Amino acid sequence: MLAPTPAHAAPVQITPDGDAVTASTSDENVPANAVDDDYDTRWSGEGDGAWLELDLGASMTVTHMKLAVYNGTERRNVFELQYWNGSRWVTVHDGETSGETTRLETFRFDPVQTSRVRYLGHGYEGDGEGDWNSLTEVEVWGTPGGDDGGDDGGDAEFPSDVLDLSDWKVTLPIGDDGDPTEIFQPDLDTYVHDEFFRVSDSGDAVRFRAPVNGVTTGGSSYPRSELREMEPGGGDETEWSSTSGTHTMTVREAFTHLPEDKPHVVGAQIHGGDDDVTVIRLEGSKLWITEGDESNHHLITDDYELGTVFEVRYVVSDGEIDIYYNGALETTIEHRDSSNYFKAGAYTQANCGNSSPCSDDNYGEVEIYDVAVTHGSGSGGDEDGDNGGGDGSDSTQAAVRHGWGTPLAISDEFDYTGPVDPEKWAVPSGTVGGTQGCWEGHDGNGRRCAKNSVVEDGIMTMTGEANGDSGWLRQRLETQYGRWEIRSRSQNTGSSGGLYHPLHLIWPTEGNRLENGEYDWVEYANPDAQCLTAFLHYPQSPTDEKERRDLCPLDMTEWHNFAFEWTPDALVGYVDGEEWFRVADGANDERGDIQDMPSGHLNIQLDNFTGDGGLRPAEFQVDWVRVYE
């Protein structure tokens, strides 16, 4: 006899109201027009890369989107559909509309859990060609509350079937006073407690519950059902330094129940030594970030509703803790200590002394859908400046994650002092302005000078001055195809003036980008930028056609690992080990395939787009440059 098929929620429209719709650009046809149920209005944004973003207000499962195109029987819109994964925009559909209707067309993709989606436009084709992106209506479809309409996870028996618990232990509100029960690996893989630590009813989360009458640890008066980070394999407790490397925990969770009288529960935290460093704590409907003993350091929201799934991410490096909520940076806390570790679960901030009834029925509860921790030995701000991750264990490097092998000899760790290595880098060699080692700057603006690129303390610093002098380096390697990875950051050091443009790019050996192409795989128009852009120019394109890709938000003042892979098949960009663009082919009567540059070399530049003077001083810092076959 066949078992009955479980019932699942059918997708419904979850399109937000107009006040939750924004765009990178628009004319008089504003973003809210795209969700007003009126085919006589539209959103229009000009430019390759113009986007329309829809904020869903909470984490939901999105299964498909519907688009209605302005003049849709004459135009085929070229676009991507993307969702925010907590740290970057991820493309789930890349294509064109049909060009056959002005009504809604459906574009399906694998279900994703997110709080934000966007349409990334690349203009239109069909009756002519243009860079306007115009939509009369947009609909978002899915299921609120995380039901993707698919497998409900009913086969999950143990919490380890839902979460990767390899490097954790769990502390439970049972056992002896001051010495609660703890479950370690390998026992944790097959452990479940029906009341305090089990798979949720939905089957896609783990339920952590701690009643006010639960057993507590020796250092606390409050009960917990909570994971504690351990060494790989889960055998021993781990600790890490906030000033060495980069340490990240991402948790997707929901508060689902609060105790009476004192409705306070912690859902995630960083602990250090004998006390918590910072926690995410719900107090009634107010969701707070704490700092040490300051329980109300930063208010995330004052109207949190129980059951709302959200994502919190801690990123710790250089003595600072950046805390993100649904992808947005909420606060930065300074913290320097070497005894830190992550925790996640339900840490109920109430007991029988301040909450009644004193029973198992009075509890705090959190459901966790996903938790992930990474530690990069070279992924941020080692105090000695050595962010190399040379042990091959840093998965925030594309070369490590994707197995690119050993760096070539042309690579540079900048482990010396003074000018850049002349065997690896060419620098300006003219005498423009009467200074040895200076050329004209970008488009004749200011000068590019050798003096503006200096190595000290393991870092190459390229300086942009107020007078328009800036730096420029060309790697002494000409090649067709290759892989490059660079660890860099930038910052404005002055308070006013025209802004410098930091770049990592592959410039064609022959110098003619209209004939040979150009790959600006890292480019941004402000050293303090919070977004990254790539401009990838087609070869054999007299009109200089190009592809644009944007990654937002991304704090360019922080250290990141930027990688570029150029093969006969595609151009691929990576940030901190994760792919953020991939483009290939595209040849037509006006251009060649985008990856077909005949030969090129790596340049590092701090470009002056302003003139001779009036610039805002800035620095472009590079920790290392690695090149691979």
Side-chain angles (χ1 to χ4, degrees):
M1 179 177 178
L2 293 176
T5 302
H8 305 294
V12 296
Q13 189 178 167
I14 54 176
T15 309
D17 295 333
D19 57 3
V21 182
T22 57
S24 60
T25 183
S26 66
D27 56 9
E28 67 274 11
N29 299 295
V30 297
N33 289 350
V35 295
D36 63 358
D37 292 324
D38 185 349
Y39 285 88
D40 292 328
T41 64
R42 68 182 186 272
W43 163 70
S44 292
E46 186 176 19
D48 185 3
W51 49 259
L52 180 78
E53 180 179 326
L54 298 93
D55 188 336
L56 305 179
S59 184
M60 301 185 186
T61 298
V62 180
T63 59
H64 60 282
M65 293 177 64
K66 298 182 181 182
L67 308 175
V69 175
Y70 173 68
N71 285 343
T73 56
E74 302 171 6
R75 298 179 178 182
R76 298 191 313 276
N77 277 20
V78 183
F79 68 96
E80 297 173 56
L81 298 179
Q82 299 183 320
Y83 79 99
W84 181 250
N85 75 349
S87 59
R88 65 187 183 96
W89 289 101
V90 178
T91 297
V92 291
H93 183 89
D94 188 346
E96 299 180 2
T97 55
S98 69
E100 299 177 352
T101 181
T102 59
R103 309 304 289 180
L104 289 165
E105 297 181 67
T106 299
F107 299 91
R108 299 186 183 277
F109 39 81
D110 290 338
V112 295
Q113 191 78 18
T114 188
S115 61
R116 290 185 285 162
V117 295
R118 76 175 183 179
Y119 173 98
L120 182 65
H122 303 297
Y124 68 88
E125 297 181 355
D127 184 9
E129 198 172 280
D131 62 356
W132 278 99
N133 304 279
S134 299
L135 298 170
T136 56
E137 286 298 311
V138 177
E139 292 183 0
V140 185
W141 286 73
T143 53
D147 185 348
D148 64 5
D151 187 348
D152 66 354
D155 293 336
E157 180 179 2
F158 304 109
S160 62
D161 295 330
V162 179
L163 304 177
D164 183 356
L165 300 177
S166 303
D167 303 338
W168 299 92
K169 73 174 181 181
V170 66
T171 303
L172 298 171
I174 56 177
D176 298 326
D177 286 336
D179 186 21
T181 297
E182 294 186 326
I183 309 300
F184 299 81
Q185 287 292 1
D187 295 338
L188 185 56
D189 270 344
T190 54
Y191 183 82
V192 61
H193 191 288
D194 287 341
E195 191 168 3
F196 303 129
F197 178 66
R198 68 171 180 85
V199 177
S200 66
D201 293 339
S202 64
D204 57 355
V206 175
R207 194 189 77 181
F208 297 78
R209 179 181 291 183
V212 297
N213 63 345
V215 168
T216 68
T217 60
S220 173
S221 58
Y222 297 132
R224 71 186 77 216
S225 174
E226 190 178 41
L227 297 174
R228 196 273 196 206
E229 181 188 10
M230 304 290 281
E231 292 284 353
D236 297 312
E237 294 183 347
T238 189
E239 294 181 347
W240 41 263
S241 172
S242 61
T243 60
S244 178
T246 295
H247 314 277
T248 302
M249 180 173 73
T250 305
V251 184
R252 189 160 59 87
E253 63 183 0
F255 292 93
T256 50
H257 196 277
L258 298 176
E260 300 294 330
D261 300 324
K262 191 171 184 283
H264 299 178
V265 176
V266 168
Q269 63 171 300
I270 297 175
H271 204 279
D274 296 326
D275 204 357
D276 52 87
V277 176
T278 179
V279 310
I280 302 295
R281 178 160 61 203
L282 182 62
E283 299 180 0
S285 63
K286 295 181 178 180
L287 192 58
W288 290 94
I289 295 172
T290 73
E291 181 180 6
D293 294 331
E294 186 182 351
S295 59
N296 300 143
H297 166 70
H298 176 83
L299 180 65
I300 297 174
T301 178
D302 61 1
D303 62 353
Y304 178 85
E305 295 183 3
L306 291 180
T308 302
V309 180
F310 63 91
E311 182 179 86
V312 61
R313 180 162 56 101
Y314 295 107
V315 181
V316 188
S317 67
D318 292 332
E320 294 183 337
I321 303 170
D322 290 332
I323 305 174
Y324 298 82
Y325 179 79
N326 287 339
L329 179 64
E330 291 288 336
T331 188
T332 297
I333 296 172
E334 293 187 4
H335 176 65
R336 306 178 75 85
D337 183 68
S338 60
S339 59
N340 306 290
Y341 50 92
F342 292 117
K343 305 184 80 175
Y347 181 22
T348 298
Q349 305 287 281
N351 55 36
C352 288
N354 53 33
S355 182
S356 179
C358 179
S359 71
D360 287 352
D361 295 329
N362 186 12
Y363 57 87
E365 184 180 273
V366 173
E367 292 187 353
I368 295 183
Y369 293 79
D370 193 21
V371 58
V373 169
T374 61
H375 298 288
S377 60
S379 292
D382 291 13
E383 288 184 324
D384 61 2
D386 178 12
N387 303 304
D391 59 1
S393 63
D394 185 0
S395 63
T396 67
Q397 296 175 31
V400 172
R401 179 172 292 189
H402 302 286
W404 289 353
T406 304
L408 302 180
I410 194 68
S411 303
D412 200 339
E413 299 295 319
F414 298 114
D415 51 358
Y416 51 89
T417 298
V420 295
D421 186 342
E423 295 186 0
K424 298 181 177 183
W425 302 100
V427 297
S429 58
T431 57
V432 170
T435 304
Q436 182 62 41
C438 288
W439 290 339
E440 275 195 347
H442 173 80
D443 262 358
N445 296 315
R447 303 185 300 176
R448 288 172 169 165
C449 297
K451 66 180 176 63
N452 288 66
S453 300
V454 176
V455 179
E456 185 176 2
D457 295 330
I459 303 292
M460 190 284 293
T461 299
M462 186 173 284
T463 304
E465 302 179 57
N467 67 359
D469 287 357
S470 65
W472 177 93
L473 295 177
R474 173 175 63 82
Q475 193 173 55
R476 294 188 184 276
L477 173 68
E478 310 289 345
T479 183
Q480 185 182 43
Y481 313 131
R483 296 180 174 99
W484 295 260
E485 189 155 24
I486 299 176
R487 182 172 179 76
S488 65
R489 67 180 178 183
S490 60
Q491 64 175 344
N492 289 310
T493 57
S495 59
S496 63
L499 296 170
Y500 280 100
H501 289 226
L503 290 98
H504 302 319
L505 69 149
I506 304 298
W507 181 256
T509 300
E510 299 301 321
N512 185 347
R513 78 176 185 189
L514 300 182
E515 178 62 28
N516 296 296
E518 175 187 349
Y519 307 142
D520 305 311
W521 47 282
V522 167
E523 180 173 353
Y524 45 105
N526 181 351
D528 288 343
Q530 298 297 300
C531 289
L532 170 64
T533 302
F535 294 97
L536 308 162
H537 300 251
Y538 285 90
Q540 304 167 40
S541 176
T543 59
D544 195 20
E545 292 188 59
K546 57 185 176 290
E547 300 288 340
R548 172 176 176 164
R549 297 294 185 269
D550 295 279
L551 181 60
C552 301
L554 189 70
D555 187 350
M556 305 307 292
T557 69
E558 299 291 336
W559 288 110
H560 293 286
N561 301 328
F562 303 101
F564 181 67
E565 184 176 22
W566 173 23
T567 70
D569 300 318
L571 307 175
V572 188
Y574 303 86
V575 175
D576 294 330
E578 296 188 10
E579 181 178 315
W580 76 284
F581 71 74
R582 178 182 294 266
V583 295
D585 304 328
N588 58 29
D589 293 341
E590 299 294 326
R591 65 197 188 197
D593 284 335
I594 199 165
Q595 68 269 28
D596 283 353
M597 180 191 291
S599 175
H601 53 257
L602 172 70
N603 279 12
I604 300 174
Q605 300 172 190
L606 190 57
D607 278 353
N608 172 358
F609 282 30
T610 300
D612 300 332
L615 275 293
R616 184 175 181 179
E619 291 181 344
F620 193 16
Q621 293 186 315
V622 178
D623 187 12
W624 43 256
V625 176
R626 295 173 186 160
V627 187
Y628 302 85
E629 291 283 2

